[in-house]
């Protein structure tokens, strides 16, 4: 068993800034109380490229093992504090436990900018949860790309780092907190890619109260029904570039969204039966929604993506959207009936 307590104004902490690979193998439980800290973040720098963060692996070899994180885990890249310097990369976190509760913050991001100095962002790390019966996230999971210069795009400044990947695999998943794996928020070069959030469950999934930035990849795909008869979607489902959705009949119910908002998104819906998009549901391939932040004009916004549809009949009651910021929505050319 391991624990980090916070009492009388002090807190338990494990801290290292040298980019180490740190492994915790336990046979009991790990408890991090509020105010406790595990920090493998790299230090700040004023030249070159800042150091990358370390990596952390936490594994509990017990069928009843529990990890309870009410404190914070930071594995962030080193922050540039001078011009023409690049932030470090975020590190990786792997958690393997039967039960996992996160009410604190886990952050494997690169680094943000304090002032709009001429800096380059770097990529975030990744968060991976494995082999769990229950994962309960009421806190924050972050794998955000690093920020770049807000005022210019040069060979040494202005790039945005890409977001990392957050992969949650469990029998039962409950999320009511925040999950963010987007690219850097700032950077006049307007590059970098959003990461992906993967939710792999075999029994139950509840994300009805969650705030997930960009639509997650949910496995299994159908919220109701199956791919061989009728597949019903009731949640927001993200897709990757080049994905193919093959099914008999596909229905997007009210509140459902398929596709997402990311640069270069294109996908194919290949049905042997019918496609139905109910009122309040959306089929989307929009560009990233944050392109005009801090000096990046609308002319630099990425174009919308592409949706290809093969189906016997298509009934659209609400919305098909493939657009960039400030551009009008337009429907994908295809035979369909609008009710």
């Amino acid at each position: 068993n391991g624990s980090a307590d916070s009492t009388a104004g002090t807190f338990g902490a494990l801290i290292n800034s040298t980019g180490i690979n740190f492994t915790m193998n336990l046979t009991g439980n790990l408890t991090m109380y509020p105010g406790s800290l595990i920090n493998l973040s790299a230090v700040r720098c004023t030249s070159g490229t800042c150091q990358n963060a370390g990596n952390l692996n936490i594994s509990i070899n017990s069928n009843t093992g529990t990890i309870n994180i009410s404190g914070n885990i930071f594995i962030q890249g080193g922050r540039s504090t001078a011009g023409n310097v690049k932030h470090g990369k975020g590190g990786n976190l792997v958690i393997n436990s039967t039960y996992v509760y996160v009410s604190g913050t886990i952050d494997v991001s690169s680094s943000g900018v304090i002032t709009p100095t001429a800096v380059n962002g770097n990529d975030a790390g990744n968060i991976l949860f494995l082999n769990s019966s229950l994962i309960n996230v009421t806190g924050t999971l972050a794998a955000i790309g690093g920020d770049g210069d807000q005022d210019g795009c040069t060979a040494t400044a202005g790039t945005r780092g890409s977001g990392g990947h957050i992969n949650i695999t469990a029998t039962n998943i409950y999320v009511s907190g925040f999950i963010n794996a987007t690219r850097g928020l700032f950077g006049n070069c307007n590059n970098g890619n959003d990461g992906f959030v993967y939710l792999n469950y075999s029994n139950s999934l509840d994300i009805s109260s969650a705030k997930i930035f960009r639509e997650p990849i949910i496995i299994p795909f159908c919220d109701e029904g199956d791919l061989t008869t009728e597949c019903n979607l009731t949640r927001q489902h993200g897709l990757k570039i080049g994905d193919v959705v093959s099914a008999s009949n596909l229905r997007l119910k009210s509140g459902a969204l398929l596709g997402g908002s990311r640069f270069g998104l294109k996908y194919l819906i290949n049905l042997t039966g019918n496609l139905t998009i109910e009122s309040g549901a959306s089929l989307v391939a929009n560009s990233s929604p944050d392109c005009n932040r801090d000096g990046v004009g609308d002319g630099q916004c990425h174009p919308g993506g592409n949706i290809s549809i093969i189906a016997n009949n298509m009934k659209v009651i609400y919305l098909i959207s493939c657009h960039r910021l400030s551009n009008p929505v337009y429907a994908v050319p295809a035979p369909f009936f609008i009710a």
Side-chain angles (χ1 to χ4, degrees):
N1 294 295
S3 65
D5 200 354
S6 174
T7 56
T10 61
F11 59 86
L14 295 171
I15 299 174
N16 183 281
S17 60
T18 63
I20 64 169
N21 295 315
F22 184 52
T23 298
M24 303 173 67
N25 285 318
L26 305 174
T27 57
N29 303 309
L30 172 65
T31 303
M32 293 182 63
Y33 292 95
S36 61
L37 176 68
I38 296 177
N39 193 346
L40 301 185
S41 300
V43 297
R44 299 180 180 185
C45 75
T46 57
S47 62
T49 298
C50 294
Q51 182 178 310
N52 298 334
N55 300 294
L56 176 61
N57 189 319
I58 304 175
S59 181
I60 294 187
N61 301 309
S62 168
N63 291 333
T64 60
T66 299
I67 294 177
N68 193 330
I69 302 171
S70 297
N72 298 318
I73 297 178
F74 295 137
I75 315 177
Q76 301 169 327
R79 172 175 289 178
S80 165
T81 57
N84 302 316
V85 179
K86 190 172 187 177
H87 301 310
K89 293 182 179 180
N92 298 312
L93 171 65
V94 178
I95 291 181
N96 187 339
S97 177
T98 303
Y99 302 99
V100 180
Y101 299 87
V102 180
S103 58
T105 295
I106 297 176
D107 195 332
V108 299
S109 304
S110 177
S111 183
V113 293
I114 301 175
T115 57
T117 55
V119 299
N120 270 329
N122 212 328
D123 297 336
N126 305 297
I127 300 174
L128 178 62
F129 295 92
L130 295 172
N131 304 320
S132 294
S133 176
L134 171 65
I135 294 180
N136 185 316
V137 179
T138 57
T140 297
L141 305 178
I144 305 170
D147 292 335
D149 182 16
Q150 305 169 35
D151 298 324
C153 178
T154 67
T156 57
T159 62
R160 304 188 194 196
S162 293
H165 299 318
I166 299 175
N167 193 319
I168 301 176
T169 300
T171 304
N172 302 287
I173 299 174
Y174 173 79
V175 180
S176 63
F178 295 83
I179 300 180
N180 192 339
T182 57
R183 65 176 184 165
L185 294 175
F186 302 101
N188 195 266
C189 295
N190 194 26
N191 63 330
N193 296 310
D194 293 329
F196 288 97
V197 175
Y198 297 90
L199 302 176
N200 304 273
Y201 74 100
S202 56
N203 184 55
S204 67
L205 172 67
D206 185 352
I207 55 174
S208 58
S209 300
K211 179 63 174 178
I212 303 176
F213 294 82
R214 308 293 185 269
E215 299 77 10
I217 309 293
I218 300 176
I219 304 170
F221 179 73
C222 302
D223 297 319
E224 301 169 352
D226 56 67
L227 293 169
T228 57
T229 55
E230 180 168 281
C231 177
N232 297 323
L233 301 185
T234 61
R235 304 183 177 98
Q236 295 194 355
H237 286 253
L239 292 174
K240 296 179 291 184
I241 296 173
D243 272 353
V244 177
V245 178
S246 297
S248 178
N249 299 290
L250 178 62
R251 179 181 294 269
L252 277 63
K253 292 189 172 183
S254 180
L257 182 148
L258 180 59
S261 299
R262 65 176 60 244
F263 168 56
L265 181 60
K266 59 181 179 179
Y267 56 90
L268 167 65
I269 297 177
N270 187 9
L271 306 179
T272 57
N274 303 319
L275 171 64
T276 303
I277 303 175
E278 295 184 356
S279 177
S282 303
L283 193 63
V284 175
N286 295 337
S287 64
S288 183
D290 59 359
C291 73
N292 69 339
R293 184 191 300 270
D294 291 283
V296 179
D298 184 60
Q300 295 173 259
C301 292
H302 298 304
N306 297 288
I307 304 172
S308 300
I309 300 172
I310 301 174
N312 286 337
N313 297 286
M314 187 164 81
K315 184 176 183 179
V316 182
I317 304 175
Y318 196 56
L319 178 66
I320 296 179
S321 172
C322 300
H323 70 100
R324 71 184 179 99
L325 195 71
S326 300
N327 265 19
V329 175
Y330 62 88
V332 178
F336 63 93
F337 170 71
I338 300 179

